[in-house]
Amino acid sequence: SGRIREHCVALGEWSACRTVALYHPRSDEPDLWALAGRAWSEGRSVALPSFDPASSAYRWRRVGGPGDLVPGRFGIPEPSSRCPEVPTGLLDLAFVPGLAFTLDGVRLGRGAGFYDRLLESFRGRCFGVAFDFQVLPSGIYYISRLPSDLRWADVATIGAVACALAFSSTLYPSWRASRVRPAEALRH
């Protein structure tokens, strides 16, 4: 994690940014939390994702120090609701975690699409943060870009319609079979 933090600070985007979007790491993610302290000491604003129960979505909130954090939805520290919301357009730089990345920038998240929705209108520079083993060579593991986000309600609807069609497609053959008289069918 230390080398990753050094690379992040060495980026030209770091020195040019006013507001940086970070994340509080899980135990299996690169730990960039020390960058928050560095950003504060350099006069930069730090934003972290915070779950908003009213909209069931994450929002960026400005954090002024570790005291602004509370246990979040998944047990990950996140900004309290007292922290001011930061419009995505005010973010200059974002560092986001993922399960895997390709060299051409495709990110594999944890499946809920939280970061996808958080970054929909983001116009700054976004960097995926990963350990070496999480970077997949594009020529070996082909992951294409999809213009949509997987929504579980859509999956359930499609599954229900497919089951209904499969069931209804058995009705006509069953009806026809019920009209056959076995004794007459064997006679011919």
Side-chain angles (χ1 to χ4, degrees):
S1 291
R3 280 190 351 187
I4 294 172
R5 287 191 299 268
E6 289 171 14
H7 286 296
C8 293
V9 172
L11 295 168
E13 290 85 355
W14 176 267
S15 57
C17 81
R18 293 180 314 272
T19 305
V20 61
L22 294 172
Y23 62 92
H24 200 287
R26 294 167 40 113
S27 61
D28 60 344
E29 295 172 337
D31 186 354
L32 298 188
W33 187 239
L35 290 182
R38 181 164 181 155
W40 291 319
S41 70
E42 294 174 353
R44 303 179 206 291
S45 295
V46 175
L48 268 71
S50 175
F51 188 73
D52 176 23
S55 64
S56 294
Y58 277 85
R59 306 274 186 249
W60 294 108
R61 292 191 180 275
R62 188 178 326 271
V63 178
D68 289 342
L69 301 177
V70 296
R73 183 172 179 216
F74 297 106
I76 302 168
E78 63 183 45
S80 75
S81 58
R82 296 183 327 268
C83 296
E85 193 170 317
V86 179
T88 306
L90 294 181
L91 300 173
D92 304 309
L93 177 63
F95 294 105
V96 297
L99 292 177
F101 296 88
T102 63
L103 294 174
D104 59 347
V106 177
R107 175 183 170 273
L108 175 64
R110 298 194 181 273
F114 294 128
Y115 274 100
D116 299 331
R117 286 186 286 284
L118 265 174
L119 298 171
E120 270 179 340
S121 60
F122 180 70
R123 297 294 172 247
R125 290 289 299 207
C126 184
F127 291 92
V129 182
F131 295 112
D132 288 339
F133 68 87
Q134 293 174 290
V135 179
L136 306 175
S138 298
I140 297 174
Y141 302 102
Y142 181 72
I143 300 175
S144 65
R145 297 175 191 264
L146 295 175
S148 63
D149 184 22
L150 182 65
R151 306 215 190 275
W152 290 110
D154 293 344
V155 172
T157 302
I158 291 169
V161 169
C163 287
L165 287 173
F167 175 73
S168 64
S169 67
T170 63
L171 294 178
Y172 179 73
S174 299
W175 176 76
R176 290 280 299 182
S178 70
R179 304 208 61 204
V180 172
R181 294 192 177 128
E184 284 186 34
L186 290 174
R187 237 186 261 169
H188 300 288

